[in-house]
Amino acid sequence: MLPVVDRPLIQWTVEEAAAAGFEHFIFVTAAHKTSIAAHFSPTPDLHAHLTASGKTDLADLLSAGLPPGAQVKQVIQDQPRGLGHAIWCARDAIDDEPFAVVLTDDLVRAPTPCLAQMMQAYAAQGGNLVAVEPVPAHETDRYGVIAPGTQNDNLLEITALVEKPAPQDAPSNLAVIGRYILQPEIFDKLAAFKTGAGGEIQLTDAIADLIGHVPTHGLRFDGDRYDCGQPLGFLAANMAYALDTSNTDDKQDLLQMMRQVVEKFS
Ligand code: G1P
């Protein structure tokens, strides 16, 4: 729910998924995180009040929550047992179909939204598909890392996947970021409740277990990823999105303010 400029991170990712054609949204959360459901609940009285007061920009932002016709489910993960477990918790809501996973702390600013780029690649390729990008070699222990096979344009075959390898053990510097398109067979693997890195049930391990059974690829997407789970990434996202979304005058003011801050502290 942390806001980047004018809307919470989860709103940015819902908009990205909606732009890629998704209409069914499943939020996997902890029981106490009621603010997510509250954010996406309609507030007709406030909307009418804002519209009547001429604050149409705020009213528009309020109604931007979910795309028209969206179906929403909330699934509670009762214990923090890892990303793989969180996805497994959504198995009944997914109903034996391919599905996408979006990790909200990875925000991607791109001319074509990242998930839409992935849907294009998926239409041609099928199977399991993850978004990848190069990371500094000393940071591989923060990510799932792929061993790339043959490359076709920006699509790479994945021959192995390792969760959070130490730099000396990493098969490459190509990290999985929080965008996946997965086949429902993943639930057969997740159901084993096998623990991996950090003692958690890892989505990466389940994807790796399906290599050889399900075509598995990484897409080098076009765009900038901000790791909003880290303070610096979150600040960088706010600066980039603020500059990107402001009108020309505001942008000049904002750049001027940023220059003043940089001069003062550098
Ligand atoms: C998760 C995944 C990891 C992936 C990362 C992307 O890690 O387990 O494979 O590279 O998201 O942000 P987490 O950030 O939850 O530690």
Side-chain angles (χ1 to χ4, degrees):
M1 291 301 295
L2 285 173
V4 168
V5 186
D6 61 359
R7 62 200 75 188
L9 276 166
I10 199 155
Q11 181 68 45
W12 287 107
T13 46
V14 162
E15 288 175 25
E16 178 185 331
F22 287 84
E23 294 174 327
H24 294 200
F25 300 87
I26 304 164
F27 298 107
V28 183
T29 64
H32 64 276
K33 290 199 175 160
T34 50
S35 55
I36 294 173
H39 172 76
F40 289 106
S41 300
T43 47
D45 292 350
L46 181 57
H47 193 276
H49 173 72
L50 290 169
T51 309
S53 341
K55 296 177 179 165
T56 45
D57 48 343
L58 290 179
D60 289 349
L61 190 57
L62 207 60
S63 48
L66 288 164
Q71 291 185 33
V72 176
K73 287 182 185 153
Q74 187 165 2
V75 169
I76 303 298
Q77 183 189 24
D78 57 357
Q79 292 169 321
R81 299 179 66 182
L83 176 60
H85 178 253
I87 304 307
W88 182 82
C89 289
R91 67 200 179 285
D92 291 337
I94 286 169
D95 204 16
D96 210 24
E97 286 183 85
F99 61 99
V101 174
V102 181
L103 306 184
T104 303
D105 52 1
D106 275 334
L107 189 56
V108 183
R109 201 177 58 86
T112 301
C114 184
L115 210 47
Q117 295 179 44
M118 292 178 73
M119 287 298 281
Q120 280 172 14
Y122 176 77
Q125 202 64 50
N128 286 336
L129 179 67
V130 299
V132 296
E133 73 170 12
V135 295
H138 66 275
E139 287 183 4
T140 54
D141 58 0
R142 285 172 38 189
Y143 300 96
V145 177
I146 70 164
T150 52
Q151 179 163 358
N152 183 0
D153 200 10
N154 53 1
L155 198 67
L156 300 131
E157 184 196 359
I158 297 178
T159 59
L161 263 172
V162 189
E163 181 68 15
K164 300 195 170 63
Q168 65 275 18
D169 301 328
S172 76
N173 72 333
L174 288 172
V176 177
I177 66 126
R179 302 288 184 279
Y180 309 73
I181 297 176
L182 300 173
Q183 301 303 310
E185 285 81 0
I186 200 85
F187 292 114
D188 300 338
K189 299 296 175 191
L190 292 173
F193 277 32
K194 192 173 81 178
T195 53
E200 295 187 340
I201 300 167
Q202 298 290 354
L203 185 59
T204 304
D205 294 341
I207 299 170
D209 285 349
L210 285 171
I211 293 173
H213 305 283
V214 173
T216 307
H217 293 88
L219 180 72
R220 294 267 314 246
F221 61 96
D222 176 23
D224 300 321
R225 185 206 42 132
Y226 298 93
D227 180 359
C228 294
Q230 303 282 332
L232 285 182
F234 178 68
L235 287 170
N238 268 288
M239 290 193 287
Y241 276 71
L243 289 169
D244 195 28
T245 55
S246 40
N247 63 39
T248 316
D249 288 346
D250 287 351
K251 186 172 169 177
Q252 288 315 315
D253 290 348
L254 197 50
L255 281 169
Q256 182 60 22
M257 277 169 47
M258 286 180 182
R259 281 190 205 103
Q260 283 170 358
V261 174
V262 169
E263 269 170 34
K264 187 170 169 75
F265 291 97
S266 54

